[in-house]
Amino acid sequence: MEEIGFLGTGIMGKAMAVNLLRHGFKVTVWNRTLSRCDELVQHGASVGETPAAVVKKCKYTIAMLSDPAAALSVVFDKDGALEQICGGKGYIDMSTVDADTSSKISEAITSKGGCFVEAPVSGSKKPAEDGQLVILAAGDKALYDQVLPAFDVLGKKSFFLGQVGNGAKMKLVVNMIMGSMMNAFSEGVVLADKSGLDPHTLLDVLDLGAIANPMFKMKGPAMINNSYPPAFPLKHQQKDMRLALALGDENAVPMPVAAAANEAFKKARSLGLGDHDFSAVFETIRGAQSST
């Protein structure tokens, strides 16, 4: 493949860019705080001074930003990606955003002759490091086919979901389910503990039953030990709950469970837990119980 540009080197972006470099791809990176690119330079990356500079240099540019505002800013602001988009350029946005944001970016890219694919991912820090993400792509099928070699390095499975917006919607549905599950799991762990049961035994029981899943197995022991290293920051989970609820409003789907989970994540943010892992929502339930 041609050289790949990579915009955004946060928790996810850094791990993904490192994987591309380890598999022999030439990568030029950019981050709003450029010093965060230093570690990637040690792995062989080049650094672009602006998103526009990265797009000018690279045929394909991947963006992995924190939220819709950041995704739009990197495209539309001065020295943004759009300034250097032209025929033959491909822009792949792997950020988790709403369908409207994805459509705005797509329309801008294609209006200048470029091609666009949205490709949000299911998975957090560890799957990103291990190349085990699930990629939820939509948009230009020809561009999707061209960047599949990169997707195969970044993920264990790529889905092509059709028109722009479908990838964003699928990701929001997945994260809405995940956030709701985390709240139910947290309530169960606290309930077991306060009922005189060993929470570790609860984890063992859950792991042997029909609702066994990697999230409970991976997050549970750390939660019991009050440890929340940020694989997926809570502030981003709450953002995704909010966007999923807006999608529910748009489609007249009642979502009382997700709405309640969103309130718990908002409470956690108000307690200063936004930069902790999303499993730190556990503190809102344990804290509420302790105060009664």
Side-chain angles (χ1 to χ4, degrees):
M1 270 187 70
E2 304 272 349
E3 183 167 0
I4 296 176
F6 208 105
L7 310 177
T9 59
I11 291 173
M12 296 292 289
K14 182 175 81 170
M16 293 162 70
V18 166
N19 260 340
L20 291 172
L21 290 162
R22 285 176 176 164
H23 284 81
F25 288 86
K26 291 184 178 179
V27 182
T28 295
V29 298
W30 171 88
N31 193 73
R32 199 172 300 277
T33 304
L34 280 177
S35 61
R36 293 187 179 176
C37 298
D38 291 348
E39 184 178 339
L40 290 166
V41 171
Q42 295 173 16
H43 285 278
S46 302
V47 177
E49 292 294 318
T50 65
V54 173
V55 172
K56 182 178 181 179
K57 183 181 179 185
C58 303
K59 181 173 182 177
Y60 306 109
T61 299
I62 293 171
M64 189 60 163
L65 292 315
S66 59
D67 56 28
L72 291 167
S73 172
V74 162
V75 173
F76 291 103
D77 283 1
K78 185 178 184 303
D79 297 320
L82 192 61
E83 292 184 10
Q84 292 295 331
I85 290 289
C86 58
K89 297 286 188 181
Y91 191 80
I92 303 98
D93 195 340
M94 304 187 78
S95 318
T96 298
V97 300
D98 56 287
D100 285 346
T101 296
S102 205
S103 294
K104 286 177 187 174
I105 295 172
S106 175
E107 289 166 10
I109 298 296
T110 55
S111 72
K112 293 197 66 177
C115 298
F116 178 78
V117 162
E118 62 172 355
V121 301
S122 180
S124 57
K125 181 181 178 182
K126 187 68 165 63
E129 291 172 342
D130 296 342
Q132 293 294 299
L133 297 168
V134 178
I135 297 169
L136 308 172
D140 188 296
K141 182 61 164 58
L143 176 57
Y144 170 80
D145 290 337
Q146 290 166 29
V147 298
L148 259 181
F151 285 172
D152 287 344
V153 165
L154 298 173
K156 60 184 177 182
K157 175 74 175 177
S158 297
F159 291 89
F160 184 76
L161 302 172
Q163 67 184 13
V164 170
N166 286 350
K169 292 172 185 175
M170 181 68 81
K171 177 61 191 296
L172 293 178
V173 171
V174 169
N175 277 19
M176 178 273 292
I177 294 170
M178 182 174 74
S180 300
M181 284 175 61
M182 178 54 75
N183 272 273
F185 179 54
S186 297
E187 290 180 2
V189 172
V190 172
L191 180 60
D193 183 42
K194 298 304 177 182
S195 300
L197 302 172
D198 183 346
H200 291 94
T201 302
L202 171 65
L203 299 185
D204 292 340
V205 172
L206 291 174
D207 196 44
L208 293 169
I211 61 170
N213 69 79
M215 185 176 77
F216 293 173
K217 188 171 186 176
M218 184 167 53
K219 303 288 188 184
M223 290 164 63
I224 292 169
N225 291 321
N226 312 322
S227 178
Y228 313 103
F232 180 42
L234 186 145
K235 62 186 177 184
H236 296 331
Q237 175 66 64
Q238 195 269 311
K239 175 261 299 182
D240 293 349
M241 298 300 292
R242 171 173 56 81
L243 294 175
L245 287 166
L247 184 63
D249 287 346
E250 182 183 327
N251 290 282
V253 176
M255 296 164 60
V257 174
N262 185 47
E263 292 302 314
F265 285 115
K266 284 161 62 176
K267 174 66 173 176
R269 286 185 62 196
S270 76
L271 295 174
L273 298 171
D275 289 323
H276 290 68
D277 190 71
F278 80 108
S279 55
V281 73
F282 181 60
E283 292 293 328
T284 67
I285 298 160
R286 181 165 58 184
Q289 205 286 331
S290 298
S291 63
T292 57

